[in-house]
Amino acid sequence: WTANVHGLEEAAFANLCVSCGLCHEICPVDIDIPFMIAKVKEQDVEAHGQPTAERFFMASEAFAKVACLVAPLANGLFRRAPARILMEWTLGVDRRRTLPPFARRTLRSRVNARGTKAGRVGKVAFFPDLYAEYNNPDLGLKAIDILERLGYSVLIPDVRWSGMPYVSYGQLGKASALAAFNLRVLGPLVDEGYDIVSTEPTAVYMLRKVYPKLREGELAKKVGAHAYGFFEFIERGLANLPLRPSRDVAGVVGFHIPCHDRALTSGAPAMRFLERASYRVRTVETGTCCGIAGTFGMKSGWLGYDLSMAVGEKLFEQFRQSGCDLIATESSVCTLQLRDGLGRAILHPLDMVRFEGAG
Ligand code: SF4
């Protein structure tokens, strides 16, 4: 409204919106404020250009591919202060933000080498997104192992990343082109009976909630209707999994719900997964974003890292007061924020279980 009635210059606050989607979830008349703001950002970028840091984060997929190829070197550089200062000056990535290390081998190459098992229960197209593909393929392998134990045939389709930064930074044309590419790959798989499953809440949010807005028509709706979060998808077989805790269960697990998961499952299936492995779990939350907001909290300066940590402080304090012995969340970026804010290990639920009989 402000942008259209009073002009773009009066709507600069639109850039503070981080596309968390929470306002749309609670709006009683279904006004899609995040998407309206994304369109204002698009006009703003056309009028004023794109900051360097935003261009860098929109190139995350290309960057991850290169970083993976030279993973030991890249990981070593990310730990060195001079390299981080250079990254801050040239790319606008805050030197204080912990960056996830890159893996030597991608999930795709490891799955190709290991092979997959034929299942009789159903077919799953596993959507890795950047984190499970390039940073933490072990996480993707654990998810695929569980899906196969439950009797699913699993493949990794030739998709690209889900592309949330294009939406957050007002490049809706690029977001739409990426959505079209992924939908062209996933549509035929859905027709063949595949469900699409991801461990990254933002990827599921994109497939289910954002792609249908970027690409009107039946294809996006069809794919969105078959997209599931990992824990949501395996719930129907949870009772058949001989899960055991791989950590001390004497204490309590504090669970953080990522913003994009609030719009999907509110984290309930992931918490039930942990409870099935004998953990006592409770949510620790402020009802809002942890502060990192995707890549927003990786940007340098006040409108980035500083603001993200200020927003997160209320949640950090709740965790400090909670007395929780372990902290868990599903989102790769919330993990970074909680680790940086609390100085403690943050676990993915899949890293907290083992199978009965396994070592
Ligand atoms: S930051 Fe989240 S709650 Fe605020 S306007 Fe943007 S999408 Fe809505």
Side-chain angles (χ1 to χ4, degrees):
W1 171 267
T2 305
N4 286 327
V5 174
H6 300 290
L8 262 184
E9 307 307 324
E10 298 297 319
F13 55 81
N15 288 312
L16 289 174
C17 169
V18 291
S19 311
C20 70
L22 294 180
C23 53
H24 189 204
E25 291 313 305
I26 59 170
C27 179
V29 287
D30 199 30
I31 295 174
D32 193 346
I33 296 169
F35 206 66
M36 290 161 72
I37 293 180
K39 292 194 170 182
V40 172
K41 288 180 186 172
E42 186 176 40
Q43 293 172 30
D44 188 48
V45 167
E46 280 167 13
H48 301 112
Q50 191 102 53
T52 304
E54 295 181 3
R55 276 190 269 130
F56 171 70
F57 288 120
M58 288 189 291
S60 294
E61 185 181 47
F63 180 76
K65 282 182 183 173
V66 175
C68 242
L69 286 175
V70 292
L73 178 67
N75 294 336
L77 279 175
F78 291 161
R79 285 194 295 269
R80 290 183 198 284
R84 292 302 304 267
I85 291 169
L86 194 64
M87 270 183 92
E88 186 173 291
W89 286 348
T90 56
L91 301 172
V93 180
D94 199 288
R95 70 184 79 170
R96 295 163 290 179
R97 175 62 71 194
T98 302
L99 297 177
F102 288 91
R104 282 167 184 251
R105 293 179 63 195
T106 62
L107 175 65
R108 208 170 291 264
S109 73
R110 288 178 64 182
V111 168
N112 287 342
R114 149 198 186 273
T116 50
K117 296 174 190 159
R120 286 183 298 176
V121 171
K123 296 188 278 191
V124 167
F126 185 76
F127 191 106
D129 219 2
L130 295 186
Y131 184 67
E133 179 75 291
Y134 298 105
N135 300 103
N136 192 354
D138 285 340
L139 182 75
L141 284 170
K142 284 176 189 168
I144 290 170
D145 176 51
I146 289 178
L147 289 165
E148 288 179 343
R149 281 172 184 263
L150 289 173
Y152 292 97
S153 297
V154 184
L155 61 75
I156 301 183
D158 287 329
V159 285
R160 294 181 53 202
W161 64 319
S162 60
M164 188 67 196
Y166 289 137
V167 178
S168 305
Y169 298 137
Q171 288 286 356
L172 295 183
K174 288 181 179 168
S176 177
L178 176 61
F181 178 91
N182 286 337
L183 291 170
R184 269 199 303 276
V185 175
L186 296 172
L189 289 171
V190 170
D191 291 338
E192 287 175 37
Y194 281 85
D195 286 310
I196 301 144
V197 175
S198 181
T199 44
E200 194 65 53
T202 295
V204 184
Y205 181 84
M206 288 293 282
L207 289 166
R208 206 187 281 179
K209 301 263 183 183
V210 182
Y211 282 9
K213 283 181 263 183
L214 293 167
R215 308 292 306 184
E216 287 178 8
E218 288 310 307
L219 176 60
K221 282 189 202 151
K222 177 177 72 181
V223 169
H226 286 268
Y228 298 92
F230 173 77
F231 295 106
E232 172 188 23
F233 186 77
I234 64 160
E235 274 230 294
R236 59 191 94 166
L238 194 55
N240 302 325
L241 286 175
L243 291 178
R244 294 291 174 267
S246 62
R247 314 268 167 167
D248 183 7
V249 286
V252 173
V253 178
F255 188 87
H256 168 67
I257 307 168
C259 288
H260 288 149
D261 205 25
R262 285 175 204 275
L264 302 169
T265 66
S266 291
M271 287 188 274
R272 285 195 283 268
F273 175 84
L274 288 171
E275 284 164 355
R276 167 96 184 120
S278 306
Y279 289 100
R280 286 187 293 149
V281 188
R282 70 179 173 88
T283 52
V284 176
E285 65 164 326
T286 55
T288 59
C289 179
C290 68
I292 193 164
T295 54
F296 175 87
M298 298 182 190
K299 293 194 276 185
S300 62
W302 168 238
L303 269 182
Y305 182 87
D306 292 322
L307 183 55
S308 91
M309 296 309 268
V311 169
E313 184 51 37
K314 203 168 154 193
L315 179 64
F316 304 152
E317 188 55 26
Q318 285 208 11
F319 269 109
R320 288 184 202 111
Q321 299 295 329
S322 72
C324 289
D325 302 271
L326 297 168
I327 301 175
T329 190
E330 292 175 71
S331 158
S332 55
V333 287
C334 298
T335 297
L336 298 178
Q337 173 77 341
L338 293 174
R339 189 182 300 158
D340 286 348
L342 294 166
R344 290 177 58 178
I346 311 299
L347 302 167
H348 191 282
L350 283 174
D351 291 328
M352 298 170 69
V353 299
R354 62 181 176 80
F355 287 96
E356 194 171 46

